[in-house]
Amino acid sequence: MIGPRSLVSVVDDDESVRESLPDLIRQFGFAAQAFSSAEAFLASDVLNQTSCLLLDIAMPGMSGTELQKELLRRRQAIPIVFVTATDDRTVRPRVISQGAVECLFKPFSETALLDAINAALRTR
Amino acid sequence: MDAGYESSAEEVARLRDCLNDLASIMALPALSSGSEPGQIVSTLTDALLGMLRLAFVCVRLNDSAGGPTIETMRIGDTLGGTARSDVSFASARLGLGGELGIVVAGSWRLDFPTRTERLLLDVSANQAAIGLQHARLGSEQKRIMDTIPGLVAMLTPAGEVDVVNHELVEYCGQGLEAMKHWGTNGTVHADDLPRVGQVFTQAIASGTPYDFEARVRRFDGVYRWCQIRGLPHRDTSEHIARWFVLLTDIDDRKRAEEALSRARSELAHVSRATTLSALTASIAHEVNQPLSGIITNASTCLRMLAADPPDIDGARLTAKRTIRDGNRASDVIARLRELFIKKEFTLEPLDLNEAARDVISLSSNDLQRNRVILQVELADGLPFVTGDRVQLQQVILNLLRNASDAMVDVHDRPRQLLIKTEREDGQRVRLAVRDAGVGFAPRSMDSLFDAFYTTKSGGMGIGLFVSRSIVEKHHGRLWAQPNDGPGATFCLSIPCASEIVAAVAPAVKHS
């Protein structure tokens, strides 16, 4: 492996997602770190090391889309893959038009997840 | 003695004539109430000229409203044209203080007026004054009614139209005589007439105020919704002297109400749909969350097992998480089920008549608004049933609403609704709700009770479905049958208290 493994950060208020998703991401061969809120992620020291952000949309406090805007404002160009439990399909074109790489609807397959992460990493 | 006898005989004859004259004055119908002033005056002058053989009679009437006075003069007996210069006068005031006018009578006879003639003149004037007083009161009343900025009528105690004010005449485009036949001449809309007739007749018979809504034909032939209120006016001895009736055109308000109610039901439909879609979304969210966990954990688990060497501890951990997420999904489903199913079911002995009466009083406003004529036939001495009062009342309410809704578009016949209870053979009690509505096609009979089957735009189609399941929980039956005439009858039949206990008891023993 050349250099350090890419870091995928997961921001989701659902604890079971924070438990399960990083494990699978590590199985893919990436490094993973989970945060329970947008605020916690912004306050962390991994902002600059994160190669891909797996971001929940609906969260208490700052929402996923608000975090997306905040990162734009800070000129932090982290590729974002949104992850949502809603079945409202109109969300996808909306967030992609605002710069997201992909939007995954729960439940999603591991292939879909891996494809989305790879797509995000390619934009770097 | 002869002379004495003679004069006494004359006296008697004079007295007899005088009494006859008095009797005829009293009997003059035109001098009693209900006549026009002009008619009263002419009757008075005719009577005086005839009785007293006057040369002339003059009547001056003061106008009550301060208008021009009316003067009438009649020339009577001219004594065959003999020129006479001496005329005797007598006068009588009309009204106690002469406020109504004066009568002046002239005779060629010098002894005019004799005491008898004076008496006859005074009595006649007095009778005429009473008649004039009545006429004046009547016209005063009419004038007051005409000044009321509203549609007002006065009825006799028997309910006949007696006086209508100017505004009502203008509004209906018909006069008093035509208005007397409002029950037959299309003044009230034919669809409303049976109900109006029922309410009106009952109110007049019982002497209680009435208040109903009906469509009344305006001068231009358009039927408009009016509120019609009647109030009995009682005299000092508590007898009804007349009815005062006030009509209020509420058509615009009614239309606004209907539009509002339509909007409200549309809104209810939309909000139900919205609720449903919001509900679906939240179900999706709740279920997708653990499903996602299951898939992610299972994927991780497989990868850990496929690794070389396999990560058995990691696989075990993720497999456990998969089970946990599976349980979480099934919890969500269980919670949803609880939301839709009401568990409490309180059994108590209850009188189906009483339950029905509660529902009837609860829905009487709705029924009246839909112009439904409700007929209630509750059997006496109905045995008790055992059941959940609230749930059974929901069923009855649902049947009444359906019946009423089924008649909304009925305009060519009365919207008759019959609710009836009776004892059936075999210890059962039956409640039937019969409408004169649109009915249903025989082939749709089976689907009537299916969930989400509805013929109503605003309905969810769960009323009859839920109703039947409630009735079945009471070991009863709920069914529908088309009427011979228009409409349908829905019946529910449930066992009486003793039998349901017998039916439930063995089941309890077995379990």
Side-chain angles (χ1 to χ4, degrees):
Chain A
M1 214 171 266
I2 310 148
R5 292 184 297 173
S6 302
L7 175 63
V8 178
S9 293
V10 177
V11 178
D12 199 310
D13 63 315
D14 188 285
E15 196 189 347
S16 69
V17 173
R18 293 201 303 277
E19 267 175 12
S20 57
L21 213 48
D23 277 356
L24 184 59
I25 292 164
R26 284 183 203 114
Q27 287 296 319
F28 290 157
F30 307 110
Q33 202 152 356
F35 300 89
S36 62
S37 70
E39 290 86 347
F41 175 68
L42 283 176
S44 74
D45 52 6
V46 301
L47 240 65
N48 292 320
Q49 293 128 54
T50 298
S51 309
C52 172
L53 180 59
L54 286 184
L55 182 54
D56 186 17
I57 293 182
M59 288 184 293
M62 185 185 277
S63 74
T65 44
E66 282 164 359
L67 176 58
Q68 182 184 26
K69 285 196 191 101
E70 177 62 19
L71 291 174
L72 273 176
R73 199 184 64 78
R74 297 187 183 190
R75 301 186 184 284
Q76 291 275 3
I78 307 173
I80 297 175
V81 173
F82 278 107
V83 172
T84 178
T86 177
D87 62 349
D88 179 3
R89 302 286 144 169
T90 63
V91 169
R92 189 174 182 274
R94 205 162 62 229
V95 293
I96 286 179
S97 74
Q98 271 154 25
V101 175
E102 187 49 273
C103 179
L104 298 174
F105 291 91
K106 292 179 186 175
F108 45 82
S109 70
E110 61 164 36
T111 324
L113 178 65
L114 186 58
D115 287 352
I117 293 175
N118 283 329
L121 295 181
R122 276 197 300 274
T123 64
R124 300 279 290 178
Chain B
M1 200 179 157
D2 268 353
Y5 174 77
E6 227 176 56
S7 72
S8 147
E10 264 172 36
E11 185 76 31
V12 169
R14 258 207 319 278
L15 253 171
R16 197 191 301 118
D17 287 346
C18 173
L19 283 175
N20 277 339
D21 286 341
L22 278 174
S24 28
I25 292 167
M26 297 302 216
L28 282 174
L31 296 190
S32 58
S33 59
S35 303
E36 294 293 312
Q39 198 183 348
I40 294 170
V41 168
S42 101
T43 308
L44 174 68
T45 51
D46 282 354
L48 289 176
L49 282 175
M51 283 188 307
L52 307 179
R53 284 183 287 282
L54 298 173
F56 65 88
V57 59
C58 285
V59 176
R60 188 173 77 199
L61 284 189
N62 300 332
D63 189 75
S64 61
T69 54
I70 303 168
E71 289 183 334
T72 306
M73 177 162 186
R74 294 280 302 275
I75 308 293
D77 186 6
T78 55
L79 279 187
T82 317
R84 293 280 297 267
S85 53
D86 298 329
V87 177
S88 308
F89 296 96
S91 69
R93 289 184 290 200
L94 291 169
L96 281 179
E99 72 279 3
L100 296 172
I102 192 164
V103 186
V104 179
S107 172
W108 302 121
R109 286 188 2 257
L110 289 175
D111 62 345
F112 179 81
T114 61
R115 266 168 49 203
T116 309
E117 286 168 330
R118 178 81 247 169
L119 177 72
L120 288 173
L121 180 63
D122 285 347
V123 171
S124 304
N126 196 38
Q127 283 299 103
I130 292 171
L132 288 167
Q133 201 72 265
H134 273 283
R136 192 170 275 196
L137 263 176
S139 70
E140 183 77 355
Q141 224 160 25
K142 173 84 166 66
R143 219 184 46 246
I144 291 172
M145 278 173 67
D146 281 343
T147 60
I148 296 174
L151 312 172
V152 186
M154 224 159 61
L155 313 182
T156 65
E160 282 163 26
V161 180
D162 194 19
V163 185
V164 287
N165 79 339
H166 184 65
E167 237 178 273
L168 186 55
V169 170
E170 294 271 295
Y171 183 86
C172 292
Q174 50 178 334
L176 174 64
E177 285 310 309
M179 218 88 88
K180 285 184 177 173
H181 306 288
W182 63 270
T184 51
N185 64 6
T187 303
V188 174
H189 196 288
D191 287 354
D192 301 337
L193 202 55
R195 182 177 49 87
V196 167
Q198 197 184 23
V199 174
F200 181 77
T201 313
Q202 203 181 346
I204 297 293
S206 61
T208 48
Y210 58 83
D211 183 346
F212 56 80
E213 293 174 5
R215 280 161 291 181
V216 173
R217 193 178 56 201
R218 204 169 54 175
F219 63 92
D220 55 1
V222 175
Y223 282 96
R224 290 176 65 85
W225 280 103
C226 285
Q227 182 188 25
I228 300 163
R229 278 173 290 182
L231 206 64
H233 173 74
R234 292 171 191 277
D235 59 21
T236 44
S237 54
E238 283 302 299
H239 289 112
I240 292 177
R242 52 174 56 94
W243 288 81
F244 287 109
V245 183
L246 177 67
L247 276 83
T248 314
D249 185 324
I250 54 165
D251 204 72
D252 295 337
R253 195 183 84 199
K254 192 93 179 168
R255 267 171 221 289
E257 263 173 21
E258 274 167 13
L260 187 67
S261 142
R262 257 199 312 279
R264 202 177 279 143
S265 88
E266 293 279 309
L267 194 66
H269 188 71
V270 169
S271 88
R272 258 200 303 272
T274 314
T275 310
L276 209 60
S277 94
L279 197 64
T280 316
S282 101
I283 292 171
H285 189 268
E286 291 291 301
V287 176
N288 285 343
Q289 206 68 280
L291 280 184
S292 179
I294 290 169
I295 292 173
T296 306
N297 284 312
S299 304
T300 310
C301 182
L302 284 175
R303 281 176 174 269
M304 286 172 165
L305 290 173
D308 189 20
D311 178 1
I312 302 293
D313 287 342
R316 192 175 285 131
L317 184 70
T318 46
K320 274 185 186 161
R321 285 186 195 149
T322 310
I323 294 170
R324 186 202 56 199
D325 287 341
N327 286 336
R328 205 171 130 195
S330 96
D331 285 350
V332 170
I333 304 291
R335 266 209 319 278
L336 279 172
R337 192 176 290 133
E338 267 175 41
L339 261 182
F340 285 104
I341 296 169
K342 181 185 168 244
K343 274 179 287 180
E344 302 97 90
F345 186 66
T346 329
L347 285 178
E348 53 177 348
L350 65 94
D351 178 358
L352 202 59
N353 282 346
E354 215 177 278
R357 266 185 222 112
D358 282 354
V359 176
I360 290 167
S361 70
L362 198 71
S363 32
S364 63
N365 267 342
D366 272 349
L367 295 177
Q368 209 203 335
R369 196 169 309 122
N370 289 344
R371 302 190 300 288
V372 170
I373 302 168
L374 180 66
Q375 195 185 343
V376 181
E377 288 178 15
L378 303 179
D380 288 333
L382 206 63
F384 274 45
V385 297
T386 305
D388 184 306
R389 184 189 190 85
V390 173
Q391 293 202 0
L392 282 178
Q393 287 185 328
Q394 268 174 7
V395 174
I396 300 170
L397 184 67
N398 188 247
L399 295 181
L400 280 184
R401 286 228 173 108
N402 281 347
S404 170
D405 288 348
M407 296 193 283
V408 160
D409 293 324
V410 170
H411 298 292
D412 58 342
R413 56 180 181 269
R415 298 178 182 175
Q416 293 273 11
L417 197 166
L418 169 69
I419 177 165
K420 182 177 179 176
T421 56
E422 59 191 329
R423 193 178 182 152
E424 279 186 319
D425 292 341
Q427 291 295 300
R428 295 174 79 85
V429 172
R430 177 190 290 199
L431 180 144
V433 175
R434 180 192 169 100
D435 66 58
V438 288
F440 54 84
R443 62 191 153 77
S444 63
M445 178 116 70
D446 293 332
S447 32
L448 281 179
F449 295 93
D450 289 349
F452 304 114
Y453 176 87
T454 181
T455 53
K456 296 185 249 174
S457 65
M460 284 264 276
I462 55 170
L464 283 175
F465 170 72
V466 171
S467 293
R468 180 176 259 185
S469 66
I470 289 175
V471 172
E472 281 171 357
K473 258 198 285 188
H474 287 81
H475 305 274
R477 287 201 309 130
L478 177 66
W479 72 97
Q481 57 200 43
N483 294 339
D484 287 341
T489 302
F490 282 78
C491 302
L492 72 87
S493 156
I494 48 178
C496 302
S498 56
E499 201 187 301
I500 199 168
V501 169
V504 169
V508 171
K509 241 182 259 167
H510 288 302
S511 57

